[in-house]
Amino acid sequence: TAGLKIYTTIHSKLQKYAEESVKQHLQYLHPLLQKDLKGQKLFERNSDLVLKVLKKTSRYSQLIDQGISESSAIEKLKKPVKTTLYTYDGIRDTLISPFDSVRHDLAMLQAGFIVVNPQNGHVMAWVGGAAYEHTQYDHIMAQRQVGSVFKPIVYAQAMIDGYQPCDFISNQKITYTQYEDWSPKNSNGNYEGKYSLVGALTNSVNTISVKLAMESGLESIIDLARNMGVEGELPNSPSLALGAGNISLQSLIYAYTAFANNGKTVSANYITSIITREGNEIYSKEPSSNQVLPVEIAQNLWWIMGPQKE
């Protein structure tokens, strides 16, 4: 109402494509999840799971406030009522009990999707979840265990310490006695032979990733990650190399800009300019960067991770 013109970095077409991609991908994965949940009998084996969520709902609180006992409230909430239910095909009205509605929501997948220009930090597309009208929880900002996408940071430190892409490293399984006899496992169950640094990262070999992290020192890995802009909990243990840390997608993608930007991370940018009704610019932001990796190492990792190596 003040007549401000706010210029954002969002690219309308990319934003549309991102939203469609999230929807299509979740629609594809959802039946696979349902089959898995049914096979595991997850809700049957964890009967308290639905109840814990149910007891946090306003419907349950209202019944308790009316003086109804806990058991009676739960029985009432197991009876079908008219409900607006979220599905990947959109919102629909149906007849379902609040209990089953909670179970339905718990069995729904979510996702975060962000697109960033690595040269200037502009956010081109941002999808925080499957449907904003259903939940405003932002999965781009949420901290999760990131898994193997943390490994390039480990390999970057290994290269800083002198490793070359073609150096070979033993795939031997090692037990780390100082960490309660913990030992990393490879997904293929193979612990023989050697891998080049390129092959180890390309195939996401856990034994070698942990070995490199221990050689460099966990503190060095953590320091590099922090310097690259990674926020969140980073455990000082060998599992750090396998992505045991809790990191947000937003934090990780800006750390990754270093690989695509010759070793420079860039700051996040969502709004470039704000101009008043009279034409006066009251806000502007220019991209800023920080050299966190040597150019050659960043280019090597970009080559290893990208399709151009083929």
Side-chain angles (χ1 to χ4, degrees), residues 62-82:
Q62 289 169 5
L63 291 173
I64 296 299
D65 291 342
Q66 292 171 15
I68 297 175
S69 68
E70 181 177 310
S71 59
S72 296
I74 292 171
E75 285 306 310
K76 278 183 171 289
L77 294 174
K78 287 184 177 180
K79 296 179 179 179
V81 295
K82 288 183 178 180

Side-chain angles (χ1 to χ4, degrees), residues 37-306:
L37 292 176
K38 186 177 181 180
Q40 291 188 35
K41 297 183 178 180
L42 179 71
F43 293 115
E44 289 78 5
R45 291 189 296 104
N46 299 275
S47 56
D48 289 342
L49 189 61
V50 177
L51 291 177
K52 285 180 181 179
V53 179
L54 189 67
K55 290 178 180 180
K56 295 179 181 179
T57 64
S58 58
R59 285 179 183 268
Y60 177 82
S61 298
Q62 289 169 5
L63 291 173
I64 296 299
D65 291 342
Q66 292 171 15
I68 297 175
S69 68
E70 181 177 310
S71 59
S72 296
I74 292 171
E75 285 306 310
K76 278 183 171 289
L77 294 174
K78 287 184 177 180
K79 296 179 179 179
V81 295
K82 288 183 178 180
T83 304
T84 299
L85 202 65
Y86 165 75
T87 72
Y88 294 129
D89 294 320
I91 304 296
R92 64 183 178 90
D93 295 326
T94 187
L95 196 66
I96 187 174
S97 72
F99 181 90
D100 288 333
S101 175
V102 167
R103 180 168 170 165
H104 168 84
D105 285 346
L106 287 174
M108 299 292 286
L109 287 169
Q110 285 287 345
F113 191 129
I114 184 171
V115 181
V116 168
N117 184 325
Q119 273 70 53
N120 55 22
H122 286 186
V123 176
M124 311 295 286
W126 181 302
V127 184
Y132 181 81
E133 62 270 25
H134 176 251
T135 176
Q136 289 77 55
Y137 188 83
D138 195 335
H139 292 267
I140 291 174
M141 304 293 288
Q143 293 186 349
R144 295 281 187 273
Q145 285 197 348
V146 294
S148 294
V149 291
F150 187 81
K151 288 176 181 176
I153 297 175
V154 175
Y155 282 72
Q157 184 61 52
M159 291 185 186
I160 291 172
D161 293 338
Y163 271 100
Q164 296 297 317
C166 293
D167 287 343
F168 278 82
I169 307 160
S170 171
N171 184 36
Q172 179 185 3
K173 189 174 185 179
I174 295 176
T175 298
Y176 296 91
T177 55
Q178 67 273 43
Y179 293 96
E180 300 180 351
D181 291 335
W182 181 81
S183 182
K185 297 179 181 179
N186 291 334
S187 59
N188 61 5
N190 178 31
Y191 303 97
E192 298 179 352
K194 296 181 178 181
Y195 283 86
S196 67
L197 209 70
V198 173
L201 181 54
T202 302
N203 292 282
S204 194
V205 182
N206 289 339
T207 50
I208 293 176
S209 299
V210 173
K211 188 177 298 184
L212 292 173
M214 297 302 287
E215 287 183 9
S216 292
L218 298 174
E219 289 294 340
S220 295
I221 304 295
I222 293 172
D223 288 344
L224 176 60
R226 297 296 188 207
N227 196 32
M228 293 176 70
V230 173
E231 299 175 349
E233 177 192 350
L234 298 177
N236 194 345
S237 67
S239 61
L240 170 71
L242 308 183
N246 292 313
I247 306 170
S248 71
L249 179 57
Q250 182 193 36
S251 177
L252 193 64
I253 197 170
Y254 278 98
Y256 260 59
T257 59
F259 302 129
N261 196 31
N262 288 324
K264 293 181 180 179
T265 55
V266 290
S267 58
N269 197 357
Y270 322 92
I271 298 174
T272 57
S273 179
I274 301 177
I275 298 176
T276 65
R277 188 194 305 272
E278 294 74 28
N280 299 318
E281 187 174 60
I282 59 175
Y283 173 87
S284 66
K285 184 174 182 179
E286 296 295 328
S288 61
S289 61
N290 181 30
Q291 191 77 42
V292 296
L293 292 174
V295 174
E296 182 180 0
I297 290 175
Q299 290 178 345
N300 280 338
L301 282 161
W302 179 247
W303 174 78
I304 294 171
M305 292 187 289

